[in-house]
Amino acid sequence: MTPSPTLPKFRQRLILAVLMACSLLIWLDNTVLSTTLETLADPVRGLGADPGQLQWATGAYTLAFATLMFTAGALGDRFGHRTVFAGGLVVFAGSSLWAAWAGDAGQLIAARAAMGVGSALITPAMLAILMWTFTGPARASAIGIFSTSAGVGMAAGPVLAGLLLSHFWWGSVFLINVPVAVSALFGLTVLVPNFRSPTPRPLDPAGMALSITGLVALSYGLIRAGQEVVWNRGDVWGPIVAGLVLLTVFVLVELRVKAPGFDPRLLLHRTFGGGNAALGLLLFSVAAITFYNAFYLQGALGFSPMKAGLADVPTAFGALAGAPLASRLVRRLSLRSVTVPALVVAALSMGGYGFLGLHTPLLWIEILLGVQGLSIGMVIGPVTAALIGDLPLDQAGAGSAVTNTVRQTGSVIGIAVGGTIMSIMYRRAIEPALEGAPGPVQDLARVSAEQARHVAAAGARPALAQAADDAFLHAMHVGAGWIAAAALLGAAVLLLALPAAGRRTAAEPASASARKPAPAPAPSPEHPYGPSAAEGCPRDAC
């Protein structure tokens, strides 16, 4: 490794402040959107977006991030991490302005995808600059301080969104990104050297194109399935089959590339492959249940955005407490004996949504959300760190890219499948209540519970509003069962993948001296429940 230049301590602190501001910016943007979904679905206060459009508004960001992040790391190696970072800030700020003034759901989806591109350029460069700026013991301290931006963003995001939505229009939740991005861009230009790796990684345009088109096609087909009564249509199964074929070709291409951005061979290791499959299933479930939670609190229960934001705070605090608690328990017990039961509890907490109703006391909802956050935090952080630590040091960068891609893919598919189940079950449940209603009323009420409530209020149809609430709850209960089943499957996979206490995995060196410990990975803004060794830092520094 080429040693990084030693910077004055005061300048290092200023660089850390800039990096924390950028991390906080991305954390806030991810958390404010869930609080805004109900408003976006409202035809008066928002865009009148249907569930499929809201799925895309959420998933487009994650999809762009998942497929571009490992390429962005290679761009930073080649052109300098400050250059890529600055480009990401410009894209993120510009697309935030676009999202704030989007005239319809299609524009918002496109703007969110562009924001995902900006975030994908920012995140690996941000972590690389952190690793280059600090060395020795100062690096561990800097990572610890940097990590606090995650907690602040998780806790403050929903509350900030609620505050803005209570006083301004929905676009304000995106507009706040712009002054922060401009300030960070100024600090980045003045303070940060343009670090770059002495051995640039090759770009992987074929892998990037195949992964993007495959995931887009698969997600489109899954979301389309929730919007159609008949599933044997070509515009439902065609994209799903095409997406699976493209993703299969993507894996085959990556197997032939000398230095792939995503190395499928690593998944052949039992611990690494099985652990990533379990994390993918967990993130699938987290994305889906978070999507449901937004509509339950504000739609079914009628919470204001501010009250809904405050109601979500226990999830954030539980997640923040979960990772350090699990780390302490793992020292005394074993990774498997701590994380597998925690994943089971996470699955049961998601299944608990099947028992929530219109009159459930808020205390019980808060307990459920707190337990959910705590148990998820106890799984994702320790398991991710163990998976990366299980690989040889020269494969840590490739391993972090695989882990990140699997987790983000799980989130994208979780939003698509979870939203599709909700749409199908809601439409079936609302149908009996629409008999005798005018055609336009029926058409709007079938779209979503939000549209049905709006039609009911405009036409003085209280029975329709009650039927919409009941239909939504039925859809949420059914979906929660499938979501919990996916998380339980993840627990079973994790049980089989992780070694029992006292056993070493095949990839672990026989002696501690065979490998120097890598610095603890900093949390990625795309991973709200624990740290991730995100792709993008210099390969011999990760």
Side-chain angles (χ1 to χ4, degrees):
M1 171 182 176
T2 302
S4 58
T6 302
L7 301 176
K9 288 186 177 181
F10 181 70
R11 187 175 176 184
Q12 288 181 334
R13 295 191 185 105
L14 290 177
I15 292 174
L16 180 59
V18 171
L19 297 179
M20 290 183 67
C22 294
S23 176
L24 181 62
L25 172 69
I26 298 176
W27 276 104
L28 288 173
D29 181 73
N30 280 295
T31 53
V32 299
L33 183 63
S34 62
T35 308
T36 314
L37 289 175
E38 178 69 24
T39 302
L40 291 171
D42 191 286
V44 176
R45 297 180 298 131
L47 297 174
D50 62 42
Q53 292 169 329
L54 294 175
Q55 287 170 268
W56 275 115
T58 305
Y61 179 99
T62 308
L63 193 151
F65 184 95
T67 54
L68 295 176
M69 190 173 171
F70 55 79
T71 300
L75 289 174
D77 286 348
R78 192 172 289 265
F79 300 109
H81 294 290
R82 187 185 66 183
T83 301
V84 174
F85 198 154
L89 284 172
V90 171
V91 171
F92 195 84
S95 53
S96 295
L97 284 171
W98 184 12
W101 275 288
D104 54 43
Q107 292 182 30
L108 178 62
I109 292 167
R112 287 289 297 167
M115 292 173 72
V117 173
S119 181
L121 295 172
I122 291 169
T123 301
M126 180 168 56
L127 297 171
I129 290 171
L130 181 70
M131 302 297 286
W132 278 102
T133 302
F134 297 92
T135 57
R139 178 181 290 169
S141 299
I143 289 174
I145 297 171
F146 177 79
S147 301
T148 60
S149 61
V152 175
M154 288 174 62
V159 179
L160 177 62
L163 181 65
L164 291 170
L165 292 171
S166 298
H167 295 86
F168 305 101
W169 97 111
W170 60 266
S172 60
V173 302
F174 300 112
L175 201 60
I176 59 171
N177 296 336
V178 178
V180 179
V182 171
S183 301
L185 183 61
F186 175 78
L188 184 73
T189 304
V190 172
L191 296 169
V192 179
N194 198 20
F195 300 119
R196 69 184 71 197
S197 174
T199 54
R201 287 168 288 174
L203 300 177
D204 187 10
M208 182 178 67
L210 287 168
S211 61
I212 291 174
T213 54
L215 281 175
V216 168
L218 180 60
S219 299
Y220 176 83
L222 291 172
I223 292 173
R224 187 70 178 167
Q227 300 170 327
E228 300 295 337
V229 178
V230 181
W231 285 14
N232 58 2
R233 293 167 53 109
D235 58 353
V236 173
W237 288 109
I240 293 176
V241 172
L244 293 174
V245 170
L246 286 168
L247 291 174
T248 301
V249 175
F250 164 68
V251 172
L252 295 175
V253 168
E254 295 298 279
L255 287 172
R256 294 177 176 271
V257 175
K258 185 177 181 180
F262 177 94
D263 191 351
R265 300 174 190 85
L266 296 176
L267 295 174
L268 297 177
H269 296 288
R270 191 188 79 171
T271 299
F272 188 81
N276 272 292
L279 289 179
L281 287 166
L282 177 56
L283 267 294
F284 170 99
S285 302
V286 169
I289 208 68
T290 302
F291 193 74
Y292 287 13
N293 180 65
F295 296 104
Y296 172 65
L297 293 178
Q298 294 185 58
L301 298 186
F303 283 10
S304 68
M306 186 68 180
K307 187 175 181 179
L310 290 170
D312 281 328
V313 169
T315 306
F317 285 129
L320 291 175
L325 174 62
S327 297
R328 294 189 187 97
L329 291 175
V330 166
R331 295 191 196 105
R332 297 184 179 183
L333 303 171
S334 69
L335 184 65
R336 186 166 75 169
S337 60
V338 172
T339 57
V340 172
L343 185 44
V344 171
V345 172
L348 295 177
S349 70
M350 295 173 191
Y353 277 72
F355 299 95
L356 298 180
L358 296 177
H359 305 291
T360 303
L362 180 59
L363 176 62
W364 289 113
I365 298 173
E366 297 299 274
I367 292 173
L368 182 69
L369 292 175
V371 170
Q372 179 180 300
L374 180 69
S375 55
I376 292 171
M378 291 181 66
V379 176
I380 294 185
V383 171
T384 300
L387 295 183
I388 301 302
D390 193 53
L391 295 174
L393 200 56
D394 60 354
Q395 291 183 309
S400 64
V402 171
T403 297
N404 178 73
T405 303
V406 169
R407 287 164 54 162
Q408 296 309 312
T409 301
S411 296
V412 171
I413 303 302
I415 294 168
V417 173
T420 293
I421 293 173
M422 184 174 70
S423 296
I424 292 171
M425 292 297 106
Y426 166 79
R427 195 165 51 243
R428 290 179 181 176
I430 195 68
E431 199 63 42
L434 300 180
E435 294 180 5
V441 172
Q442 293 189 25
D443 293 339
L444 288 172
R446 290 189 185 103
V447 172
S448 67
E450 287 69 34
Q451 295 280 6
R453 295 187 194 106
H454 175 70
V455 171
R461 298 172 179 269
L464 177 59
Q466 181 62 48
D469 288 340
D470 293 340
F472 168 78
L473 287 175
H474 170 73
M476 185 180 75
H477 294 165
V478 173
W482 287 104
I483 292 167
L488 285 173
L489 177 60
V493 172
L494 193 63
L495 178 66
L496 296 174
L498 295 180
R503 290 176 55 191
R504 265 200 306 264
T505 62
E508 187 177 350
S511 65
S513 60
R515 174 182 172 179
K516 296 179 181 180
S524 163
E526 276 299 296
H527 305 139
Y529 297 102
S532 168
E535 177 71 346
C537 46
R539 283 177 295 179
D540 47 1
C542 283

